[in-house]
Every structure is written in C-alpha cells, then in structure tokens.
Amino acid sequence: DAGVTQSPTHLIKTRGQQVTLRCSPKSGHDTVSWYQQALGQGPQFIFQYYEEEERQRGNFPDRFSGHQFPNYSSELNVNALLLGDSALYLCASSLVGLRDSYNEQFFGPGTRLTVL
Amino acid sequence: GQQVMQIPQYQHVQEGEDFTTYCNSSTTLSNIQWYKQRPGGHPVFLIQLVKSGEVKKQKRLTFQFGEAKKNSSLHITATQTTDVGTYFCAGPRGSQGNLIFGKGTKLSVKP
C-alpha cells in the first residue's frame, strides 16, 4: 500500500519563474491538502481539494493555485515566484466523505523549493 | 484569527529525563492532533484526541486534552535518542477540516 508520494524532491528556481509540484495521495484517500512549511515553522495550510474542486483555502495569494485529477492526484502551481516562497511544500491526503470529518492526515515527504 | 501556540520552542534533555510540550488554542477545538517530524523528514501522525479531559497513552508517550478543549499536552517519560524531532499539535480551523499547526517544540536528547 503506497503512501503519499510527491515529486520532485528538490527544486531550484529563480524569482519570477513558475513551478508545478505533484502529489499522489495514499491509496483509498480522496482528499488532498497542501501545506507550506518554512524553516523552523509549523506547516501552514494552502488549500484542499476534494472531488476535483478547491474546497477550502488558507491565507495565500492567487499566485498559488492547484488542481485535482479524477484519480485524486493533485498539482500545486506557484506563479511569479518570490524569495519568500522558499519552503518545504507538503501534500497530505485524507478520506473525507460527504460530511466533514477530522481524520488524520498522511503527509508526503515534501518538495523542497528554493527560490534564488 | 484562530491561533495554536506551543511551548517551549526548544527543549534539550539528557537521555532518560522526562519531556513535556504544551499546546494552547485561542478557540475551543473539536479535536486536537499531534504529529512528530524527524529532522529532514515530514510530519507523521501520532494521535487524535476528541473528548474533553481525554488521556491517551502510547508506550512512553502520554497525551492529554484539556477539560475546556482549548489546551493539550504531550509528555514523554524517560526520553530516548529516538525521540529526537519536532512535535507539533494541530487543531481544525473552525468548522472546516483543514488544520492549524503550532510552531512545534524541537526536542533534542543528549545520550
């Protein structure tokens, strides 16, 4: 049973560029959440996707966008990169039915993004 | 806005000593979750507490949820070098399911 996978592992970009990060959820999970974790901080919620739609969004600018595919995998896109976007980007999957539930989230290994 | 705070930020202990980290929320939580992140790793779910005053144990780890469901603690008895890492508490944001994480407590254990 594969856990949450993310690609790439590391990425180096320059200011102004665009980046796409990918995530495959744990088998059987239908919901994907994205978090940004700056060095020495706790993860901060970016957004959550369920049934191919953005279900919830944290306090992040529109430069951050995402997508969920029919197979539940997801992408995080960041446009016009800033130095401050350098962080570990974590994908977490969970199983959320029609009624909100607060099940544990399974985190992937993350993508370390460095913006120069 | 809703906040989750953790203290201390860092804790250095000698192997065999006990360790406790405290978590406080600005709002009442429906549940609280604890995660452990090893150096260079990703957060790994430890436990979820739901009931007021709930206490759960996992071997040397004891988790407690406050009566008012606004605070929680994690206590490790007789720490080992394998306990090294950052411990995060996290609570759901309002009625939504996404999590607000504390800044974590980084535990180092000297052998």
Side-chain angles (χ1 to χ4, degrees), chain A residues 21-95:
Chain A
L21 310 181
R22 296 175 176 81
C23 170
S24 290
K26 180 179 168 65
S27 177
H29 282 185
D30 58 7
T31 301
V32 172
S33 301
W34 287 92
Y35 291 82
Q36 180 195 67
Q37 187 176 24
L39 200 61
Q41 302 293 316
Q44 283 202 307
F45 175 75
I46 303 174
F47 42 54
Q48 182 184 78
Y49 276 85
Y50 172 68
E51 291 189 337
E52 302 180 49
E53 290 189 357
E54 184 181 290
R55 182 175 177 172
Q56 301 164 12
R57 189 178 183 94
N59 190 25
F60 279 80
D62 292 344
R63 298 187 297 108
F64 290 77
S65 63
H67 189 78
Q68 186 179 34
F69 300 94
N71 67 352
Y72 306 117
S73 67
S74 176
E75 287 182 350
L76 163 65
N77 300 292
V78 187
N79 294 322
L81 285 167
L82 304 173
L83 295 179
D85 294 332
S86 295
L88 178 67
Y89 287 85
L90 296 162
C91 167
S93 75
S94 55
L95 180 61

Side-chain angles (χ1 to χ4, degrees), chain A residues 37 45 56 102 104-105 108, chain B residues 31 33 37 42 45 48 98:
Chain A
Q37 187 176 24
F45 175 75
Q56 301 164 12
Y102 307 121
E104 65 182 275
Q105 303 208 8
Chain B
N31 72 87
Q33 301 180 18
Q37 185 171 20
H42 58 277
F45 176 84
Q48 177 176 278
N98 65 79

